[in-house]
Amino acid sequence: MSEIAWIEGGTELLDAVGPLWGALNRLHSELSAHFSHADAAGTFDQRKAGLLDKARSATLRVELAQDRRAGRFVGYCVCSVDRDGVGEVDSIYVEPDHRGRGLGHHLMQRALVWMDRQGVRAKVAIVAVGNERVCAFYSRYGFFPRHIVLQQVTGETAFPETGQMGEG
Ligand SMILES: CC(C)(COP(=O)(O)OP(=O)(O)OC[C@H]1O[C@@H](n2cnc3c(N)ncnc32)[C@H](O)[C@@H]1OP(=O)(O)O)[C@@H](O)C(=O)NCCC(=O)NCCS
């Protein structure tokens, strides 16, 4: 992995994450049965704004993996610890042609060590429905499914027919 340079920092690195985040968002969009690209997570500018907002009350850590020869970023992990002591793996991604070589493990392990150093009481990661195959990766680090969060598709407010008559 010596051909990889690791760059660690905070919100100032978010712009470099943008193109890779876009690839992850496209993946989520392809895998989702109900949410389109725009519906799933919005644009990177929106995601970045959300993370900057989060960073006002949480500590945010960004790590990037850079292919030294190509000079391009090939992976990243964004994680955070909030005021309640909850650590979150906000986003992790490795380019397909660099997978299976330990980059994801490096990013994940260092994120978890960083959280532990801050004394977190819990660690969470949100996995998009459709992308369940990544749960096998997370399970290696002790993360298992706990809740299923449902979200209404924008503009599809529907009141199902119950067949029951209301009272006046
Ligand atoms: C998940 C991801 C970051 C892993 O990156 P990676 O560089 O391929 O991972 P590594 O090579 O470091 O593998 C680490 C270990 O996890 C295992 N692993 C990696 N991906 C896995 C998967 N999808 N399912 C099961 N195990 C997996 C590897 O076999 C390896 O175990 P080993 O050390 O015993 O061989 C990468 O597959 C990815 O970017 N996926 C698409 C994006 C994504 O789904 N992100 C999560 C959003 S919530």
Side-chain angles (χ1 to χ4, degrees), residues 14-153:
L14 283 176
D15 283 334
V17 163
L20 296 172
W21 180 87
L24 174 61
N25 200 25
R26 283 191 292 281
L27 174 72
H28 283 154
S29 175
E30 284 161 22
L31 295 173
S32 175
H34 300 286
F35 291 89
S36 69
H37 174 68
D39 261 348
T43 64
F44 180 67
D45 282 346
Q46 289 167 331
R47 178 64 167 143
K48 182 182 162 190
L51 288 170
L52 289 174
D53 192 45
K54 183 175 191 179
R56 287 148 60 118
S57 61
T59 312
L60 204 85
R61 176 184 184 272
V62 179
E63 184 160 21
L64 285 153
Q66 185 178 36
D67 183 320
R68 289 183 200 269
R69 266 185 302 177
R72 68 185 175 95
F73 296 117
V74 295
Y76 74 87
C77 180
V78 177
C79 62
S80 56
V81 173
D82 72 14
R83 278 183 187 153
D84 296 327
V86 176
E88 178 168 359
V89 180
D90 295 272
S91 194
I92 185 167
Y93 181 81
V94 172
E95 287 272 64
D97 58 344
H98 280 74
R99 286 183 197 158
R101 294 163 51 197
L103 272 67
H105 174 66
H106 181 105
L107 289 165
M108 187 71 178
Q109 194 180 38
R110 282 169 50 93
L112 299 180
V113 167
W114 176 79
M115 290 180 197
D116 281 336
R117 283 200 186 120
Q118 299 192 53
V120 293
R121 61 176 178 82
K123 302 187 188 96
V124 299
I126 295 175
V127 170
V129 171
N131 194 24
E132 290 83 357
R133 66 187 168 197
V134 81
C135 291
F137 171 78
Y138 281 117
S139 71
R140 303 174 65 86
Y141 304 93
F143 287 71
F144 295 96
R146 180 147 194 197
H147 307 285
I148 296 180
V149 177
L150 307 182
Q151 182 178 330
Q152 188 184 54
V153 178

